[in-house]
Amino acid sequence: MNCALLTRLGSLFVSLAVAPLWAGGEPHAEGPPTTDTFGWNLADHWLDTWDHRHFSGRGTPYIHHFGFEPAYTGRDLLATYGWAELEDGEEQEVELELEWALTRRLGVVLEQGYIFEDPDGEGSVDGWGDLAIVPRALLAEFDCFLATLNLEVELPTGSDEVGAGEEWHLAPSLSTWADLGRWWTVSTNTGLEFALDSEETEFFFTLGLAKAIRLREGGSDAHHHHQAGEHHHAGSSLAGILSVIAELSGEVVLDGEEDEEDEWVFEALFGLNYAVSEAFDLRFAYSVPLQNSELEHGLRGGFIFHF
C-alpha cells in the first residue's frame, strides 16, 4: 500500500471539497512506517497479543463512526440513545454495544437494544430487540489503510411486539479505513444481509468521512515503550480531540417482495464525537432521509468507554 500516494490523493480531494477545514489536525511524517504492520499477509499474527492503540502508526486518530463497525479492532463499550420520527409514528431505542479484541487480528462485537414504538393511531409497545453477535477478522493492516471482515449473526431473541424475534439474519460485510492526511479519514462498510426464513437478500453500504480537530492538549505518550496489555498511542493523547463525522448509507432489496426489490433507500447522518479523556467519548448525531426512507429525521446521543 503506497501511503504517500494515498495521502496526496486525499489531500487533493479534501482541499477541493472542504478547504476551510483543511488546516486543522496534525501533519505526519511521510517516511517509513512507525509500526510493524503486516500488510495483506493472511498467514501470520492471528494469535498475537492485541495492542491497545487509538492512533495509527502515522499518528492519525481512529474514529468510531455511528452507523457501522470500524475497521480497527478495539475494546470499547458504546451506549446509545436514539429517537426517530417516522412516517407512521415515533421510535426510540437504547442500545449497548461491546466491542472486544481477542487478539491483534480477531475480535467480536455484541449488540443488544431495547425498543420503544409509538405508531400513529395505535397503542405504544416496547420490548427487546434481537441480540447480534459479530465475529471480526482484520485482513489487512497498513499505516494508512485497514480492512476487516465482519459476520453479523442476528439471533431471534427479541420481542415480536417490536418486530423482533422472528428469524435469523446473517450479514457478512467488509469494513475499511483509509488515512487521507491531515487527520482526514474515510471509512466504508459494504455487505449483504440474508433473512434465513423469508429468504430475503439485501445489499447495504455506508460511506463515512471524518475530520479530527484537536481542541486542547491532553498530554503525549507518543514515544513511550510498552509491555503487552498496556496502552500505547502512536501519536498525541486522545483527550481533547473533536471529530466531525458525515455518513451516507444506502440499502436495496435484491431478492424479496416484488414491491420492495430494486428500490434504493438512502439516508445521511452528521455527527460529533468529543474525547473527554483517554477513556471516555461523548457523541451526538442527526439523521435525515434522502430517498425512499420512512425516516423523517432522527437524533442519537451516547458515549464510548475505552477499556
Side-chain angles (χ1 to χ4, degrees), residues 260-294:
E260 295 181 348
E261 287 185 8
D262 303 322
E263 184 172 288
W264 279 94
V265 176
F266 292 103
E267 296 178 359
L269 177 147
F270 305 94
L272 297 173
N273 185 103
Y274 180 67
V276 179
S277 69
E278 283 294 308
F280 189 76
D281 294 6
L282 289 176
R283 298 155 60 78
F284 176 81
Y286 178 68
S287 300
V288 294
L290 297 179
Q291 176 178 301
N292 296 328
S293 175
E294 296 180 353

Side-chain angles (χ1 to χ4, degrees), residues 152-165:
E152 180 170 328
V153 182
E154 191 172 291
L155 288 67
T157 58
S159 171
D160 57 3
E161 293 184 345
V162 293

Side-chain angles (χ1 to χ4, degrees), residues 20-33:
L21 291 176
W22 172 251
E26 298 182 0
H28 51 255
E30 298 293 348

Side-chain angles (χ1 to χ4, degrees), residues 92 114-119 123-129 159-162:
Q92 302 175 66
Y114 194 86
I115 302 169
F116 303 84
E117 293 186 348
D118 188 13
S124 300
V125 295
D126 62 90
W128 291 102
S159 171
D160 57 3
E161 293 184 345
V162 293

Side-chain angles (χ1 to χ4, degrees), residues 18-85:
V18 279
L21 291 176
W22 172 251
E26 298 182 0
H28 51 255
E30 298 293 348
T34 58
T35 57
D36 181 21
T37 57
F38 53 76
W40 287 101
N41 179 5
L42 297 179
D44 302 315
H45 306 292
W46 290 102
L47 300 181
D48 287 2
T49 302
W50 173 68
D51 185 14
H52 190 151
R53 63 175 62 247
H54 298 304
F55 291 79
S56 74
R58 303 202 303 174
T60 301
Y62 289 139
I63 298 170
H64 198 301
H65 282 262
F66 287 86
F68 56 98
E69 306 301 340
Y72 62 86
T73 56
R75 292 179 179 174
D76 301 316
L77 175 66
L78 291 81
T80 305
Y81 167 77
W83 170 86
E85 182 176 349

